[in-house]
Structures are given as C-alpha cells and as structure tokens.
Amino acid sequence: MSGSGIRSAAYGLLPTDTTEDVRTRGAGVSTQVAVLPVGSFEQHGAYLPLATDTLVACAVAREIAAAYPVHLLPPVTISCSHEHAAWPGTVSISAVTLHSVVQDIAASLRRSGVEALVVVNGHGGNYVLGNVVQEASARGERMALFPAAEDWEAARTKAGVVTSLLTDMHAGEIETSILLHTHPESLRPGYETSDFVADDRRHLLTLGMSGYTDSGVIGRPSLGSAEKGKALLESLAASFGTYFSMLTASGDGAE
C-alpha cells in the first residue's frame, strides 16, 4: 500500500466534535469525563505500522466513546519507547515530558469544566502514566488509567485469545487482532509467519527489546483475527463501565 493510502486510513484518529457538541454532552452528566488515548511510535516488526499502539489506544477510546457520554480527545502519538531504540523509525520522549503533557492536559480540561480524565494507554512501556494517575488521585483530582491488566485478561478470555498476556508482549495476537478488525489496510504481509516467544524478560529494562528478539516481535501474531479484535474491544468497553461509575460518583471520585 502507498504511504498516502495509509495516511488516509489513519485520518479517523482525530475527533470531529465541535465546541457545541462538547457543551451539549456535558449538560447531560453530573461529572464530565474526557478520554485521552496515549500510544507510541515504535517498531512492531515488519508487518505492523510504527503507529500500532496509537491505533490500538484510539480504537479502545472510540469504543468507549460510542458507549458512554465522554469527550474523546486526540491521541498522544509519541511516548516512552526507549526499549525499542535499536530499530529504525522508533521515536521517544522522556518520561518526565510525558508526565508533564498528561498533567497539563488534565489541568486544561479542569479549567474548561471537564473534571475527570481517563488515560487509555496503548503502550506497556509508558510506566510513568501510573505515577501520573497516582499523584493526581492523591491531590483529589479525578483520573484513571485504562485498561488495567485485569481488563485485558477479561478481554483476552472473552475473545478466545490463545496467547497469555505474558507471552503476547509485542506485535502479537492481541495487537494484530485489533488492527485486523479496525485497520486491516495497515498490515503488511508476514504476520502469519512471525511468531516468536521470549517469556523470560527479566533484564528488559537493561537490555531493551533487542536483547530478546531480532525481529522486534514477541508473541504469536499468526493467531490474530478480526473476530478476536472485535471481541476484545467489546469486552474492554464493558469493563470501562466500572471506571465511568467511579469517576462520576459523588464524593472524591478518586482512584
């Protein structure tokens, strides 16, 4: 596929709300909630795009926005991908910068009357997002990080994903399935024959991904399917209901 075709497919990542749409939606809820997808721009083997984590985070966020009265924000597309630095195309910002970006977005939302923020994280290396949410909650602000590992596990079970969350680390069954469902045009040939397992990754922070995989893949993408991708997103949207109720409840609402 040409580069222009891939760009056209990705256009739907940006919300098209007007300010009046936001005003109308906010009038119908006691507490306004915004959803911020955070992805990355990093290698995902030879068959998935660098923007895979952003596409996944946006797919989850869109599914949430279709089911709940939340304000869908445009994604943060570059984050903390330092473990993938050995591969061309990977771009990172520091954890300090990502922390500040999310904090600034939350503060700006509060100034405009949106009290709660859910960060939908599509990249496992964004460890700092947990700190952002913990610190915000300690200050009495309404913020949550989604999905939790338990949400992914429930979705994996519902969708019939065979690979465990430990094995399905990067460019594997889950990510391939979600993109086959939402952006099939973005996949290149090769995912059917790229399975690679490396469950013992205890030195990942020191060695990076290149210490465990030559291809950049850790998982079983050959098991991916569009049907599994659809079921994964449906399950995550259902799991989000608890988060929405928590953030919009009277009282602290903090996590």
Side-chain angles (χ1 to χ4, degrees):
M1 172 175 286
S2 68
S4 61
I6 293 175
R7 291 191 192 99
S8 296
Y11 177 78
L13 296 179
L14 297 179
T16 57
D17 278 352
T18 68
T19 187
E20 290 306 313
D21 293 330
V22 175
R23 190 193 308 275
T24 299
R25 189 183 302 113
V29 295
S30 58
T31 301
Q32 297 188 60
V33 178
V35 173
L36 175 68
V38 178
S40 72
F41 200 72
E42 65 186 36
Q43 71 84 20
H44 277 76
Y47 51 88
L48 291 181
L50 294 162
T52 291
D53 289 343
T54 299
L55 294 172
V56 169
C58 286
V60 174
R62 284 197 306 270
E63 197 82 9
I64 289 170
Y68 303 89
V70 299
H71 303 308
L72 180 60
L73 300 175
V76 176
T77 57
I78 296 176
S79 60
C80 302
S81 301
H82 310 284
E83 70 273 28
H84 299 277
W87 281 269
T90 297
V91 183
S92 290
I93 58 177
S94 72
V96 172
T97 298
L98 182 57
H99 190 294
S100 295
V101 166
V102 176
Q103 271 195 318
D104 285 355
I105 290 170
S108 178
L109 287 165
R110 290 193 299 274
R111 287 193 293 272
S112 67
V114 181
E115 298 176 34
L117 175 64
V118 178
V119 180
V120 175
N121 182 34
H123 171 48
N126 289 335
Y127 310 113
V128 70
L129 294 178
N131 298 117
V132 176
V133 173
Q134 285 179 325
E135 292 166 15
S137 298
R139 292 191 297 267
E141 300 164 11
R142 301 188 184 214
M143 193 181 295
L145 183 61
F146 183 82
E150 293 82 358
D151 301 310
W152 277 118
E153 184 59 36
R156 187 187 72 81
T157 300
K158 178 180 178 181
V161 169
V162 177
T163 318
S164 70
L165 293 181
L166 172 65
T167 299
D168 195 56
M169 188 257 188
H170 191 70
E173 186 177 0
I174 287 177
E175 291 182 322
T176 299
S177 293
I178 291 176
L179 262 64
L180 282 170
H181 171 56
T182 58
H183 295 280
E185 72 286 344
S186 69
L187 276 79
R188 310 292 178 90
Y191 71 89
E192 306 92 339
T193 57
S194 295
D195 292 6
F196 182 77
V197 174
D199 283 352
D200 186 346
R201 303 184 296 270
R202 69 187 72 189
H203 303 300
L204 179 66
L205 296 180
T206 301
L207 299 176
M209 285 285 288
S210 61
Y212 295 93
T213 171
D214 293 330
S215 67
V217 177
I218 297 180
R220 296 191 176 98
S222 68
L223 300 176
S225 72
E227 293 74 20
K228 290 177 182 177
K230 183 174 186 291
L232 284 162
L233 294 176
E234 289 174 347
S235 177
L236 291 173
S239 293
F240 183 77
T242 301
Y243 293 74
F244 185 77
S245 296
M246 175 185 65
L247 290 171
T248 57
S250 59
D252 290 341
E255 191 175 57

